[in-house]
Amino acid sequence: MKTIVIALAWSVAFQIHASSADEWTTAAPREEIRPQFQTTDTGGRSGHGALTIRADNREGLHGWWQRTLPVTGGRHYRFSAWRRAENIDVPRRSVLARVLWRDDAGKDVPRREGVLTNFAKAVVAFAEPEYPRESGPGKDGWVKLAGVYEAPPGATQARIELHLLWAPNGNVQWSDVSFLPTEPPAPRRVRLASAHYRPRGAKTPMDACRQFAPLIEEAARRKADLVVLGETLTYAGVGSSYADCAETIPGPSTDYFGELAKKHELYIVAGLIERDRHQLFNVAVLIGPDGKVAGKYRKVCLPDGEYDKGMSPGSDYPVFDTRLGKIGMMICYDGFFPEVARELSNRGAEIIAWPVWGCNPEQARARACENQVYLASSTYEDVSRDWMLTAVFGQDGSVLAQAREWGTVCVAEVDLNHRTLWPWLGDFKAQIPRQRPVARGE
């Protein structure tokens, strides 16, 4: 009952309205770039008032509202706020909230647990700022930012900051801000698998498909939730032309893999060749546990060996919301270009499935690391070639599991709610939306 009383008290005290506006202060990196600040007793998203920041027509202005609250190290807290931005070209860059952990003296707090130590060895890491993420728009232009965070040991204060920066003539209203004790987020454990196999001696595309059945069964036996198969597996197994191995999606191969997905209650990603009227596409198809096609991705980056033979490129980067999490796909040569994986992560991908004939494994590590996603690859390269791996890569680019022998499956269990913390960067994944460059036309 005591916890409920505290939570209710904080909830009332930490909503923006007339009685609490005076508890906020304003700040700027330098006075010469300080924007204008204003409080209102009414209005805002819920009518309880708002904290407003306005910039004039100069470039480079930056300022924020701030407030400090007591916290207990080791306890979790839920931050929530709504913002409405006006006349701002790229709100994701110019409007942000932060939570900073401080000790009794208002100084940075060392973070010894949970920070990656395989890089920047012997560095004493500190608890870096938290960056609440946008969780979808509401009515009338209001957008919610939220996150759950554990106060690190040694932290006794949390400083809440609400920013506007780099937005000439822009303004933002902040409303309904709360910071409450809460329970830790439940893990979202997922078992990712990849098959290390190239079909041999198949006379038909379906013969090639059938050769993967034992590997899918093995993945299921090891309780995999998702298994990734190879690129253009019907073509790789038959050795005919692209056109001869092409089919519609859905089609015979997806029907076959759909039966296996339903039988084993898992997701399958299979690399196939799609025919769409006169065009051929190198595709990765996501098949759900219900046996149906849950989505497909058409390879965007085509090497000359594919477009010379009449393949067409895809033009989109779909991400599919599944019971496991948000899944994106890319195919082989896509991995040589950072834009593909980045666009998938921009659209929320937590897992990238990658059928890949061959690629530089360092680029696999980079695609996972630079986007802070889990990546599952299935290749036709033998380990003796020291080239691409059939593996599951972690958010830091490390190999979590690898299949070294032909006809085997690797499986890794990951937690999609796990935050990878880095020295100097903290939770880099949360910062990517705020700090990545502005794309042309964005």
Side-chain angles (χ1 to χ4, degrees):
M1 188 66 181
K2 183 178 180 181
T3 301
I4 296 175
V5 172
I6 293 173
L8 287 173
W10 277 20
S11 179
V12 173
F14 204 51
Q15 295 292 332
I16 298 174
H17 51 75
S19 64
S20 64
D22 292 342
E23 299 175 22
W24 291 85
T25 60
T26 62
R30 302 190 314 277
E31 283 301 310
E32 64 181 328
I33 61 171
R34 185 183 182 90
Q36 300 173 357
F37 297 89
Q38 180 183 5
T39 63
T40 58
D41 297 342
T42 60
R45 176 176 170 270
S46 59
H48 292 152
L51 300 174
T52 301
I53 312 175
R54 299 181 184 276
D56 59 29
N57 60 2
R58 292 176 294 163
E59 298 277 354
L61 299 193
H62 179 195
W64 61 92
W65 290 97
Q66 63 183 24
R67 182 175 176 183
T68 300
L69 292 171
V71 298
T72 301
R75 187 162 192 180
H76 285 76
Y77 297 85
R78 178 181 296 278
F79 171 90
S80 177
W82 291 80
R83 60 87 171 160
R84 185 167 69 179
E86 297 178 345
N87 200 33
I88 297 176
D89 291 337
V90 188
R92 67 168 178 83
R93 292 260 292 180
S94 295
V95 181
L96 62 95
R98 298 200 306 176
V99 179
L100 292 82
W101 307 110
R102 296 292 184 261
D103 63 15
D104 285 332
K107 297 184 180 296
D108 291 345
V109 178
R111 189 190 284 274
R112 296 179 176 85
E113 300 297 328
V115 180
L116 288 174
T117 58
N118 50 335
F119 302 97
K121 296 180 179 179
V123 169
V124 177
F126 286 85
E128 299 295 336
E130 313 286 6
Y131 288 82
R133 300 181 185 180
E134 296 180 0
S135 59
K139 295 180 180 180
D140 302 323
W142 289 99
V143 175
K144 187 177 183 180
L145 288 77
V148 174
Y149 309 105
E150 181 182 8
T156 60
Q157 304 178 59
R159 190 171 82 204
I160 311 301
E161 296 181 350
L162 311 172
H163 287 249
L164 174 67
L165 63 164
W166 314 329
N169 296 312
N171 75 84
V172 60
Q173 295 182 63
W174 292 96
S175 179
D176 297 352
V177 185
S178 64
F179 189 75
L180 306 175
T182 190
E183 295 299 317
R188 287 196 294 144
R189 295 190 177 93
V190 175
R191 292 180 66 83
L192 306 178
S194 291
H196 189 52
Y197 182 71
R198 178 176 176 177
R200 303 287 183 181
K203 296 182 178 180
T204 67
M206 187 53 62
D207 287 342
C209 293
R210 291 191 182 100
Q211 292 183 28
F212 285 91
L215 288 90
I216 295 170
E217 183 176 3
E218 173 64 13
R221 187 189 67 80
R222 297 175 63 182
K223 302 186 184 306
D225 298 296
L226 167 71
V227 58
V228 181
L229 312 181
E231 179 188 13
T232 58
L233 60 88
T234 51
Y235 168 78
V238 177
S240 185
S241 70
Y242 287 151
D244 288 342
C245 297
E247 60 189 272
T248 60
I249 305 294
S253 295
T254 58
D255 289 347
Y256 175 75
F257 287 123
E259 292 174 2
L260 296 178
K262 189 172 183 178
K263 174 183 177 181
H264 297 298
E265 298 182 337
L266 47 60
Y267 287 87
I268 297 173
V269 171
L272 301 170
I273 300 174
E274 178 188 16
R275 172 175 287 279
D276 185 355
R277 296 171 296 172
H278 62 283
Q279 290 185 286
L280 303 182
F281 296 93
N282 186 336
V283 297
V285 183
L286 176 66
I287 302 167
D290 59 359
K292 299 178 181 178
V293 172
K296 69 180 179 184
Y297 163 75
R298 291 172 168 174
K299 186 176 181 179
V300 170
C301 301
L302 297 186
D304 53 12
E306 292 183 28
Y307 65 74
D308 283 352
K309 297 176 182 176
M311 284 279 200
S312 296
S315 59
D316 196 13
Y317 306 91
V319 171
F320 304 98
D321 202 351
T322 75
R323 73 182 189 189
L324 306 182
K326 294 184 177 180
I327 299 175
M329 295 174 282
M330 64 183 188
I331 303 170
C332 198
Y333 198 51
D334 287 329
F336 285 91
F337 301 91
E339 293 87 351
V340 178
R342 173 49 52 87
E343 191 57 39
L344 292 171
S345 70
N346 288 348
R347 299 185 183 197
E350 301 169 290
I351 302 164
I352 295 179
W354 190 17
V356 47
W357 199 297
C359 188
N360 188 332
E362 295 305 313
Q363 289 173 301
R365 297 176 189 273
R367 301 297 87 84
C369 178
E370 67 198 5
N371 296 294
Q372 301 289 282
V373 298
Y374 295 102
L375 187 151
S377 61
S378 175
T379 187
Y380 297 143
E381 293 290 340
D382 190 87
V383 294
S384 64
R385 291 169 61 86
D386 196 24
W387 197 228
M388 190 57 204
L389 312 178
T390 292
V392 178
F393 296 84
Q395 294 176 337
D396 62 349
S398 61
V399 176
L400 303 180
Q402 180 182 354
R404 296 178 177 275
E405 303 295 329
W406 290 113
T408 63
V409 174
C410 65
V411 181
E413 182 172 283
V414 303
D415 178 4
L416 298 183
N417 275 346
H418 173 73
R419 300 196 310 147
T420 298
L421 302 178
W422 297 77
W424 300 299
L425 294 173
D427 182 0
F428 179 54
K429 185 172 186 176
Q431 299 186 52
I432 292 173
R434 302 296 179 195
Q435 298 173 356
R436 65 177 174 85
V438 178
R440 181 173 296 180
E442 183 177 2

